[in-house]
Amino acid sequence: MRDLSENYENEYDKSIMRQLKCDIKWGIINQVATDGNTPSCDSQVPFSNISDNILSDSTTPTSQYGTFEPKFWDLTGGMNLVPDNAEYGQIGLVTEDIADESGLFTEPYPTLHIAFDETVNLYGLLVNFSLYKREYAVEFDIQATLNDLSTTTVSVYDNADTSVAINLNFENVDTLDIVIKKWSVGNHRARLTEIEYGLYKFYNSNTLISVKEKKQLNQISSALPINTLEFIVLDTEDLFNSDNTQGISQFLSQRQPIELTYNQETDGDDEEINAGKYYLKEWSSTSNRNEYKLTAEELIGFMDDPYYMGKYYPTGELVSVVISDLLNSAFPIDSGFNGYWDLSEVPEMYIYAPLPAVVSSSYVSHKDCLQMLAQYCGCIVTTNDNGYIVLKPIGYSLEIADTTYEDDVYTYTAFAIKMSKIYNNPPKAEMKSILKQIDCAYRTLSLGTFNTVYEMTISATADSDYVCEHTISNYKTSVANSTTIITITDSNDDSVTSYTAQKGSYATIITFDSDGIYNIKIEANILNTYKTSITTYNTDDSNYLNGEIITIDNPLVTTLANAQTISANFIKELKHREEYDIEIKRDLRLENGDVVNLEKALVSSGLPIDPVSVRVLQNEIDISSSTQKLKVREIDTDIE
Amino acid sequence: MDNELIEILENWQEPITDRVAQDALDAKLGIDNSKGFFQAVDWNRIKGNQTVVKSLMDYWNNIVVVIVDVYVHTQTGTQELATDDSWITDIDMNNIAQNIITLADAFPYSITNYVIPKTSYIGGLGATATSPDWSDINTLETDIKLLYDLIYGSISMWRYSGEVICSSDSEQIDVL
């Protein structure tokens, strides 16, 4: 549950709540340029630091090192001493050259040179000079060398800002030079703390036609629903028009970060609510001229590629390690999202079975694998406000609305969705089927015979990945990776060729160093699996024998204890049949997964009855509506 | 006043000891207030005055004090005096403060209003980093000035307290 101020609560309790506004910050940042560049400078002091992407890191130095340039080191205590141990930290570029009294540098000008790992398109650049000293380059050039070796330059004159956003239209850029010619203060070095390869667009209630946010939670991780943000912008500048060569349509790409913030006016300070981070997925024009629709999703929405690298762990591996391997595969370093996850709350459990590559003739995506792993370790998959993927156990404590302390005793009041805030009250339950039983399969594993699992001649191109799917259907079992032997020869002369291989239990990915036609043979131990199923009855419901059966077949479950735990989790979440689709007065405190009280009444009489505890499973907010759609399901709590 | 003393005193520069917070704030806002900045001239004055006090102690009472040689850093290495293109590190700052403590410890009498300067500065950008502010630099300069005034005062008293004449034909001692 979001912890919002008392001002917000007071505003919410008013009969007419003031309008909710929202801001969207859309970073049209070139992630490839951000993550794949090597900065260098021939004129920098030893404590200058432009390595390891310091310049494009999200951390901007808030201080500077004190040096003896005239009238530079202020004695507020805010400037730092250069460390003698050479651990200089993220200070950015500090040039060796010092400007003359009027701020002019002499040729050769101090130049920050940036070489990109691959050719990039840049439509904008955000350059932060010395934010602490509020100093900046008055005159500087942005010079790009393109992949045809031609150069193109944008010169900036009379700049008067420490943070400069520059519109560019550079395509096929190999290198970029920032040439500093004049500094804002004479006799000082130039300092540059951050570069962003792109620009931010800001939309507020004046330029947003609509904003819809839909968040869903699967409390048993039988599927991974994706939270989405859909918004329509008013494009008065024709930026989205593909005929506009100065527009941004050519720079639109998936995964551009979008931050959503709600603003609620209150009697006190306005409440600013960070509603999270999404990533651009789709964009299109609408039937209305100058209106464009953009759809963004959480990172989970970008995990559709098949995952082949499931491994067999004969002595067990921590689930968090396996999840980390999976996420590293989904979001490698060059994706720009490597490490965008929080696995700190994943239980310390071991896993043995490999993640499957194919289930029921369908390839298993990274997202499917994450769902299986979450279900295996009893976690839900969600996203935090920084846009990180979070796996954590689901909670059963009622959210607390108020705490009082009297006579050495704390009294807690549970948060309740009040009937007065529910449209078409009292809420009416949609009756789900009674749960009869959970049938949960588990597989015991044993190492089998050594066999050829792949044999093929392929025509290969250097540096491309070839997925060799093991022929496991003949054996009706999985393949262990630990003893895999790969033999690759050139089909012309049987010579051995060089390659790299990633070994998985169900597939091997091979990358050849040179073009050719190759014979590939992969031999591996067969992994025998013996499937057993246990049944757990929902005896909490006296009428359970008339209910439905839910079958769980998670190939990661390998022990009876695993199967029993998962079955118990399912029963705890699903044993109550009451599910409610309600529309309430919009309340930004509620989040998916929250357990809260729901006030009820008999539909026939309207007489209040005891509230029920429910878990929030779906949350839909539309900025143009004062209501909010919720899906909640009754749940037992830890607190009586 | 003998030549040696004149030579020592010639190197003394009047310290700045009256910086206030507003000076530093002015400096941060880019207002031309030199007292709010820490510049090469300030560093050189503190360092030079330390040497003056050290020499005076030797001259006055044959007190030989060993202080640390402090250098500043430039692109090409280190040098004795600060220039506009130089900088110091946390170790240099701690050393120059420690030198004042060493001089004060060697002074044989108590020093009224003496404040022990900080010697625990940590460079870098981390949360543990510490750096001097206007009052810390005031402390450095005030301490040196206190030592200078006490020693110079003692030397002056010794020089002007008169002459003692011993008569050869009597036991009378005349103080003129």
Side-chain angles (χ1 to χ4, degrees):
Chain A
M1 174 160 272
R2 278 201 189 102
D3 185 18
L4 301 186
S5 70
E6 204 176 325
N7 286 334
Y8 181 88
E9 289 171 28
N10 293 338
E11 184 69 23
Y12 186 76
D13 289 336
K14 286 180 177 175
S15 53
I16 298 176
M17 202 173 173
R18 275 171 278 203
Q19 189 191 356
L20 180 72
K21 295 176 179 171
C22 83
D23 294 321
I24 286 179
K25 180 185 171 190
W26 173 18
I28 313 169
I29 303 296
N30 189 322
Q31 212 59 45
V32 175
T34 302
D35 297 324
N37 71 77
T38 309
S40 60
C41 180
D42 291 337
S43 162
Q44 55 177 329
V45 292
F47 53 85
S48 168
N49 192 349
I50 57 173
S51 61
D52 301 329
N53 272 343
I54 294 291
L55 291 174
S56 51
D57 195 277
S58 55
T59 308
T60 307
T62 52
S63 185
Q64 277 290 344
Y65 288 133
T67 52
F68 285 140
E69 295 137 74
K71 294 175 184 168
F72 177 74
W73 186 342
D74 68 65
L75 282 173
T76 56
M79 298 194 78
N80 293 28
L81 285 159
V82 176
D84 199 71
N85 61 11
E87 291 176 5
Y88 301 128
Q90 303 192 353
I91 199 72
L93 173 68
V94 183
T95 63
E96 178 190 350
D97 294 343
I98 296 177
D100 70 11
E101 202 168 339
S102 61
L104 288 169
F105 286 99
T106 50
E107 290 190 72
Y109 298 117
T111 300
L112 177 65
H113 178 78
I114 298 149
F116 296 106
D117 295 351
E118 56 188 277
T119 300
V120 295
N121 295 338
L122 297 172
Y123 88 98
L125 207 61
L126 182 74
V127 183
N128 284 324
F129 293 105
S130 179
L131 298 180
Y132 175 83
K133 286 300 292 180
R134 298 180 192 173
E135 294 180 7
Y136 45 84
V138 176
E139 280 180 36
F140 62 103
D141 287 348
I142 310 284
Q143 194 174 75
T145 304
L146 311 182
N147 62 351
D148 62 2
L149 299 181
S150 63
T151 58
T152 179
T153 303
V154 168
S155 296
V156 178
Y157 298 99
D158 299 327
N159 172 50
D161 283 320
T162 52
S163 187
V164 193
I166 307 145
N167 285 310
L168 303 172
N169 221 334
F170 291 174
E171 291 185 353
N172 304 317
V173 178
D174 277 345
T175 65
L176 199 69
D177 286 335
I178 298 175
V179 184
I180 300 170
K181 295 180 169 174
K182 187 176 182 186
W183 196 245
S184 59
V185 182
N187 298 317
H188 283 188
R189 292 181 168 89
R191 288 167 168 85
L192 192 155
T193 53
E194 189 183 23
I195 296 176
E196 299 221 22
Y197 302 95
L199 289 177
Y200 286 97
K201 294 292 294 177
F202 295 91
Y203 296 99
N204 58 26
S205 298
N206 296 328
T207 46
L208 287 165
I209 306 294
S210 78
V211 178
K212 289 178 184 168
E213 196 187 9
K214 184 175 182 181
K215 293 187 168 182
Q216 301 169 81
L217 174 78
N218 185 308
Q219 78 270 45
I220 49 174
S221 289
S222 59
L224 284 191
I226 299 165
N227 298 338
T228 57
L229 170 71
E230 189 183 285
F231 60 103
I232 297 175
V233 298
L234 182 64
D235 180 31
T236 51
E237 299 166 277
D238 237 10
L239 288 174
F240 288 89
N241 187 339
S242 55
D243 294 331
N244 178 5
T245 55
Q246 299 299 313
I248 58 172
S249 59
Q250 60 185 309
F251 300 107
L252 290 171
S253 67
Q254 282 196 343
R255 303 189 185 197
Q256 288 170 342
I258 290 169
E259 291 171 30
L260 175 67
T261 309
Y262 292 115
N263 290 294
Q264 177 63 57
E265 195 181 337
T266 72
D267 286 335
D269 292 335
D270 287 356
E271 187 83 22
E272 190 176 285
I273 302 152
N274 176 8
K277 201 170 189 177
Y278 294 86
Y279 301 91
L280 187 63
K281 184 86 173 187
E282 294 170 350
W283 52 93
S284 62
S285 56
T286 67
S287 54
N288 293 330
R289 192 177 174 83
N290 289 341
E291 287 183 13
Y292 289 85
K293 181 171 143 187
L294 297 108
T295 307
E297 293 183 350
E298 298 174 313
L299 269 189
I300 297 166
F302 299 89
M303 296 177 66
D304 292 333
D305 290 340
Y307 183 62
Y308 297 105
M309 285 300 106
K311 290 186 176 70
Y312 169 50
Y313 303 102
T315 56
E317 180 57 275
L318 281 170
V319 179
S320 55
V321 173
V322 178
I323 297 172
S324 187
D325 285 347
L326 174 79
L327 293 171
N328 274 312
S329 167
F331 303 107
I333 298 287
D334 61 7
S335 70
F337 300 105
N338 191 258
Y340 277 40
W341 47 84
D342 179 357
L343 307 179
S344 56
E345 290 185 60
V346 172
E348 205 170 288
M349 284 175 68
Y350 284 86
I351 198 163
Y352 302 87
L355 285 159
V358 179
V359 168
S360 305
S361 306
S362 297
Y363 286 102
V364 179
S365 66
H366 285 76
K367 178 169 160 278
D368 297 335
C369 288
L370 187 65
Q371 174 259 314
M372 284 180 213
L373 286 161
Q375 191 181 70
Y376 177 78
C377 63
C379 284
I380 52 167
V381 181
T382 178
T383 311
N384 67 15
D385 286 345
N386 292 323
Y388 285 27
I389 296 169
V390 179
L391 271 82
K392 61 182 182 184
I394 199 160
Y396 289 91
S397 300
L398 272 167
E399 297 292 337
I400 304 300
D402 195 22
T403 307
T404 54
Y405 181 72
E406 199 174 308
D407 299 332
D408 291 337
V409 177
Y410 284 100
T411 309
Y412 301 98
T413 309
F415 184 93
I417 300 173
K418 297 198 167 111
M419 212 147 54
S420 60
K421 309 293 183 192
I422 301 170
Y423 292 79
N424 299 318
N425 67 49
K428 184 166 169 277
E430 179 191 335
M431 301 296 274
K432 293 282 183 187
S433 304
I434 298 169
L435 175 65
K436 178 186 177 188
Q437 68 191 58
I438 303 286
D439 289 344
C440 185
Y442 65 98
R443 291 166 170 82
T444 47
L445 312 172
S446 66
L447 216 54
T449 54
F450 193 71
N451 284 80
T452 298
V453 293
Y454 184 87
E455 196 160 18
M456 191 81 75
T457 300
I458 66 163
S459 174
T461 310
D463 299 327
S464 295
D465 289 343
Y466 290 88
V467 179
C468 305
E469 289 175 38
H470 302 171
T471 332
I472 55 173
S473 56
N474 293 342
Y475 307 99
K476 296 180 181 173
T477 55
S478 309
V479 178
N481 62 297
S482 56
T483 54
T484 305
I485 294 176
I486 303 168
T487 311
I488 300 178
T489 55
D490 193 305
S491 67
N492 292 325
D493 54 11
D494 280 349
S495 63
V496 177
T497 186
S498 57
Y499 64 92
T500 53
Q502 302 171 62
K503 297 175 183 175
S505 285
Y506 295 88
T508 303
I509 299 177
I510 296 176
T511 314
F512 296 95
D513 287 356
S514 51
D515 296 356
I517 299 171
Y518 301 109
N519 300 319
I520 305 172
K521 185 178 182 185
I522 300 172
E523 298 163 283
N525 270 105
I526 303 305
L527 189 65
N528 296 315
T529 63
Y530 301 96
K531 184 174 166 181
T532 315
S533 192
I534 61 157
T535 296
T536 310
Y537 293 102
N538 174 27
T539 50
D540 287 351
D541 193 315
S542 56
N543 199 21
Y544 75 95
L545 285 175
N546 296 320
E548 68 170 328
I549 299 168
I550 289 181
T551 303
I552 306 168
D553 189 359
N554 184 332
L556 303 180
V557 182
T558 50
T559 65
L560 175 62
N562 283 158
Q564 286 170 332
T565 304
I566 290 176
S567 299
N569 289 345
F570 267 59
I571 288 174
K572 195 170 181 182
E573 283 290 334
L574 304 180
K575 66 182 177 185
H576 291 294
R577 46 199 305 226
E578 290 82 4
E579 192 170 282
Y580 304 82
D581 280 310
I582 55 175
E583 198 168 344
I584 64 166
K585 181 180 177 181
R586 186 177 48 221
D587 189 343
L588 297 176
R589 288 170 291 187
L590 286 167
E591 291 186 304
N592 285 349
D594 289 347
V595 178
V596 296
N597 277 335
L598 176 69
E599 288 187 354
K600 290 182 68 176
L602 289 173
V603 177
S604 53
S605 65
L607 291 173
I609 55 175
D610 285 343
V612 289
S613 50
V614 293
R615 185 184 299 288
V616 180
L617 299 177
Q618 189 170 310
N619 207 331
E620 283 182 68
I621 294 171
D622 183 342
I623 192 78
S624 59
S625 164
S626 61
T627 66
Q628 174 175 2
K629 287 178 182 167
L630 290 181
K631 186 189 286 291
V632 296
R633 181 159 184 156
E634 198 172 330
I635 188 90
D636 283 350
T637 67
D638 288 341
I639 300 171
E640 292 300 320
Chain B
M1 196 183 294
D2 62 32
N3 287 339
E4 186 189 352
L5 183 60
I6 291 169
E7 209 170 291
I8 294 170
L9 295 179
E10 270 178 1
N11 290 321
W12 176 255
Q13 296 175 68
E14 194 55 35
I16 297 171
T17 58
D18 60 347
R19 296 175 183 88
V20 293
Q22 188 59 47
D23 295 330
L25 285 173
D26 286 350
K28 188 175 181 193
L29 294 172
I31 297 168
D32 191 1
N33 181 346
S34 59
K35 276 203 291 187
F37 292 105
F38 192 41
Q39 307 185 81
V41 65
D42 300 306
W43 176 264
N44 290 340
R45 184 176 60 248
I46 293 168
K47 190 181 166 188
N49 285 347
Q50 281 189 354
T51 309
V52 169
V53 169
K54 176 182 178 300
S55 303
L56 276 178
M57 287 177 88
D58 190 9
Y59 175 85
W60 167 56
N61 223 1
N62 292 328
I63 300 170
V64 179
V65 187
V66 178
I67 59 172
V68 179
D69 286 332
V70 185
Y71 298 95
V72 297
H73 305 258
T74 66
Q75 192 74 18
T76 50
T78 56
Q79 62 189 30
E80 203 156 316
L81 287 179
T83 46
D84 290 351
D85 62 345
S86 63
W87 62 87
I88 55 166
T89 68
D90 47 359
I91 300 288
D92 303 324
M93 195 68 214
N94 289 332
N95 282 340
I96 210 156
Q98 181 58 49
N99 281 347
I100 291 171
I101 296 172
T102 306
L103 288 167
D105 288 348
F107 187 73
Y109 308 110
S110 67
I111 309 166
T112 310
N113 296 329
Y114 168 69
V115 177
I116 300 173
K118 291 179 195 165
T119 55
S120 55
Y121 295 108
I122 299 172
L125 300 174
T128 55
T130 51
S131 59
D133 63 12
W134 58 273
S135 67
D136 298 320
I137 303 299
N138 271 354
T139 300
L140 294 179
E141 298 225 66
T142 304
D143 285 348
I144 298 172
K145 185 168 169 53
L146 285 171
L147 280 166
Y148 175 84
D149 287 347
L150 284 169
I151 300 166
Y152 182 68
S154 298
I155 293 170
S156 302
M157 282 174 67
W158 168 66
R159 283 176 45 231
Y160 296 112
S161 60
E163 298 169 49
V164 177
I165 297 174
C166 299
S167 171
S168 58
D169 56 358
S170 75
E171 292 182 346
Q172 182 184 338
I173 298 174
D174 296 326
V175 178
L176 304 175

